[in-house]
């Protein structure tokens, strides 16, 4: 019976003194989850309800924030259960599922940021062609491609990992990320090769495309008048801030699978919590404060007394 339990379940060994600080962990993360849901959902609802926000730029922002809600919902409920449990365990099938959702939505975030950079590029560098290029049909295609392509890329390593025998049943983390490869008896060459292909397709190429588009935007803005520079700064800087934030956390996630054995447990926990809290709260704050139209509607919603 014990052998069967070991095969079916793995122990999550990434927590630090969870039995001592379980309620501190629980209250903190529960509050963070509520804030993520409220902040992101508020802006999504604003964009959905106000006709003047039904523009491509705001639709992509809504998609990005919705993606953050789904990303957090894949992680937080299990975390909250673990904080209150005597044993922090998860079935390997559930871990694989969490891994699939985690990287599908994480990769979709990069692709959504890529679509947003293309939208800004067309808006600023090809303004006369913007209405014919960024049609509702093309926006829907870009949104669907972002989620579908990401899922299609991640499903292959997910299946390969699910079919590989486990030799280790202690996972040095709290969220099932690519460190699960350390649980496998043998990491097949197909899994390694496909992992490199996925990183190139879902991270490196989109990142290079984003850098290319924003370089073109800043060149055009520099050569143009003050109004174009103002528009570029107002709409592009929030996207760049989100890109830099997400890219930094993605680099950590890629590296952790390689140096995981020598990475201090406390530092790993802090970085993981930062990855799942910071970015999902950072996005709505950046767009809510830096995007003029969204900020205006938020002020009307939460500070009606200030509106004359």
């Amino acid at each position: 019976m014990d052998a069967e339990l070991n095969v079916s379940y793995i122990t999550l060994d990434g927590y630090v003194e969870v039995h001592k600080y379980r309620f501190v962990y629980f209250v903190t993360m529960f509050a963070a989850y509520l804030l993520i849901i409220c902040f992101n959902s508020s802006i999504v609802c604003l964009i959905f309800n106000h006709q003047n926000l039904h523009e491509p730029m705001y639709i992509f922002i809504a998609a990005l924030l919705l993606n953050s809600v789904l990303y957090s919902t894949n992680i937080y409920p299990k975390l909250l259960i673990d904080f209150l449990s005597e044993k922090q365990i998860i079935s390997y099938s559930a871990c694989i599922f969490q891994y699939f959702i985690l990287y599908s939505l994480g990769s979709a975030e990069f692709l959504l940021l890529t679509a947003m950079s293309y939208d800004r590029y067309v808006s600023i560098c090809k303004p006369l062609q913007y209405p014919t290029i960024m049609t509702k049909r093309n926006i829907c295609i870009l949104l669907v491609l972002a989620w579908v392509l990401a899922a299609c890329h991640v499903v292959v390593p997910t299946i390969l990992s699910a079919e590989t025998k486990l030799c280790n049943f202690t996972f040095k983390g709290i969220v099932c990320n690519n460190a699960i490869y350390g649980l496998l008896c043998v990491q097949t060459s197909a899994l390694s090769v496909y992992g490199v292909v996925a990183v190139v397709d879902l991270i490196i190429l989109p990142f290079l495309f984003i850098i290319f588009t924003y370089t073109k935007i800043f060149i055009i803005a520099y050569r143009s008048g003050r109004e174009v520079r103002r528009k570029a700064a107002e709409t592009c800087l929030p996207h760049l801030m989100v890109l830099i934030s997400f890219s930094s956390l993605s680099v950590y996630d890629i590296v952790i699978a390689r140096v995981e054995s020598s990475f201090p447990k406390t530092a790993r926990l802090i970085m993981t919590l930062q990855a799942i809290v910071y970015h999902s709260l950072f996005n709505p704050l950046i767009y809510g404060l830096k995007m003029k139209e969204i900020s205006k509607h938020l002020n009307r919603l939460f500070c009606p007394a200030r509106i004359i």
Side-chain angles (χ1 to χ4, degrees), residues 203-220:
I203 298 178
I204 295 178
L205 290 180
F207 185 82
L208 292 176
F209 179 80
I210 293 170
I211 296 300
F212 168 77
T213 56
Y214 281 113
T215 301
K216 297 286 287 185
I217 288 171
F218 290 135
I219 290 174
I220 294 294

Side-chain angles (χ1 to χ4, degrees), residues 143-306:
L143 291 176
V144 170
L145 283 177
W147 279 301
V148 171
L149 285 178
C152 289
H153 272 77
V154 178
V155 74
V156 175
T158 302
I159 293 174
L160 291 174
S161 299
E163 295 179 346
T164 304
K165 184 180 177 182
L166 297 181
C167 284
N168 184 8
F169 300 99
T170 300
F171 178 72
K172 296 180 179 180
I174 62 174
V175 177
C176 294
N177 55 16
N178 61 15
I180 64 170
Y181 295 147
L183 303 176
L184 307 180
C185 294
V186 179
Q187 187 170 333
T188 64
S189 57
L191 191 58
S192 300
V193 170
Y194 200 86
V196 172
V197 171
V199 169
V200 171
D201 287 350
L202 298 175
I203 298 178
I204 295 178
L205 290 180
F207 185 82
L208 292 176
F209 179 80
I210 293 170
I211 296 300
F212 168 77
T213 56
Y214 281 113
T215 301
K216 297 286 287 185
I217 288 171
F218 290 135
I219 290 174
I220 294 294
Y222 178 77
R223 293 175 178 174
S224 303
R226 180 179 298 177
E227 182 61 24
V228 175
R229 288 196 292 270
R230 184 196 62 79
K231 179 181 178 182
E234 181 182 311
T235 61
C236 295
L237 286 180
H239 301 329
L240 281 177
M241 293 172 70
V242 171
L243 174 66
I244 293 169
S245 167
F246 190 66
S247 298
S248 301
L249 297 174
S250 298
V251 169
Y252 160 75
D253 187 77
I254 294 171
V255 170
I256 192 63
R258 305 290 179 261
V259 300
E260 169 248 339
S261 59
S262 60
F263 208 68
K265 186 175 182 179
T266 303
R268 190 189 310 122
L269 176 64
I270 292 172
M271 287 299 297
T272 302
L273 292 177
Q274 180 179 340
I276 63 178
V277 173
Y278 174 73
H279 185 68
S280 296
L281 282 176
F282 182 77
N283 282 5
L285 289 175
I286 286 297
Y287 290 123
L289 295 174
K290 295 296 184 181
M291 301 299 288
K292 184 177 179 181
E293 288 300 319
I294 294 177
S295 179
K296 187 190 304 180
H297 285 294
L298 287 174
N299 285 332
R300 289 174 180 170
L301 179 64
F302 293 108
C303 305
R306 295 173 58 184

Side-chain angles (χ1 to χ4, degrees), residues 109-178:
E109 182 123 353
F110 254 113
L111 296 178
L112 288 170
L113 287 170
T114 305
M116 293 168 74
S117 71
Y118 178 69
D119 170 70
R120 292 298 83 208
Y121 167 75
V122 176
S123 174
I124 294 172
C125 300
K126 301 181 179 180
L128 297 180
Q129 302 176 41
Y130 186 77
T132 58
I133 294 177
M134 299 307 297
T135 61
K136 289 184 179 180
R137 178 175 177 273
N138 288 340
I139 293 170
C140 290
I141 291 173
L142 290 173
L143 291 176
V144 170
L145 283 177
W147 279 301
V148 171
L149 285 178
C152 289
H153 272 77
V154 178
V155 74
V156 175
T158 302
I159 293 174
L160 291 174
S161 299
E163 295 179 346
T164 304
K165 184 180 177 182
L166 297 181
C167 284
N168 184 8
F169 300 99
T170 300
F171 178 72
K172 296 180 179 180
I174 62 174
V175 177
C176 294
N177 55 16
N178 61 15

Side-chain angles (χ1 to χ4, degrees), residues 30-42:
F30 184 67
Y33 185 45
L34 286 181
L35 289 175
I36 288 170
I37 297 296
C38 292
F39 287 177
N40 287 277
S41 299
S42 295

Side-chain angles (χ1 to χ4, degrees), residues 304-308:
R306 295 173 58 184
I307 306 299
I308 300 176

